[in-house]
Amino acid sequence: MTLPELGQKLREARKAQHLTQQELAAPLRMSRATISGIENGTVGEIGVRKLMAVATALGLELQLAPRRSRPTLQQLREERRAINNAAQGAIGGARGRGV
C-alpha cells in the first residue's frame, strides 16, 4: 500500500466518524495540516508512531503483509486479450440472438 492509498483509507475512516481534520488532530497533539498531509499522501516525513496513533484514534490498526508482485507486461497483455475476447463473444452472441 502506498502512502496516498493509506491516507485515503484514513480519510474515509475519519469521515465515516464525522470528524474534521482538526477534531482528529487535537487529541493526538498534531496539527490539522499534518492530518491533511497524511490523508493526501503529501506529508514529507511521517513516523510510524504518528501513523499508528492516527489509525488507533480511528479504530484501525496498521498491519504488515507480503508485498503483492506487480503483473508483468505479458500478463497485462494476456488479461486485456481475454477481456477483449469475452466482450467480442458477448457482442457476437447478442447479434446471433437478434438483439
Side-chain angles (χ1 to χ4, degrees):
M1 178 176 285
T2 65
L3 189 56
E5 291 169 336
L6 178 63
Q8 180 63 35
K9 297 285 184 190
L10 293 172
R11 174 185 286 121
E12 290 168 4
R14 176 182 60 78
K15 287 186 174 189
Q17 294 182 30
H18 307 287
L19 294 172
T20 65
Q21 291 176 338
Q22 183 60 44
E23 290 168 335
L24 176 59
L28 299 174
R29 296 180 182 250
M30 292 183 198
S31 69
R32 186 212 55 80
T34 297
I35 299 297
S36 177
I38 293 169
E39 289 183 355
N40 293 316
T42 58
V43 66
E45 289 292 325
I46 186 73
V48 70
R49 291 178 198 257
K50 281 188 179 182
L51 285 177
M52 289 173 63
V54 172
T56 299
L58 294 170
L60 303 172
E61 69 178 27
L62 296 179
Q63 294 183 359
L64 297 177
R67 181 179 289 212
R68 289 177 267 146
S69 63
R70 294 183 178 197
T72 65
L73 181 56
Q74 183 63 32
Q75 289 169 326
L76 292 171
R77 286 178 175 159
E78 289 171 5
E79 182 180 325
R80 177 167 282 175
R81 272 190 222 110
I83 290 169
N84 288 340
N85 289 342
Q88 289 176 354
I91 293 170
R95 287 185 184 151
R97 292 189 309 266
V99 177

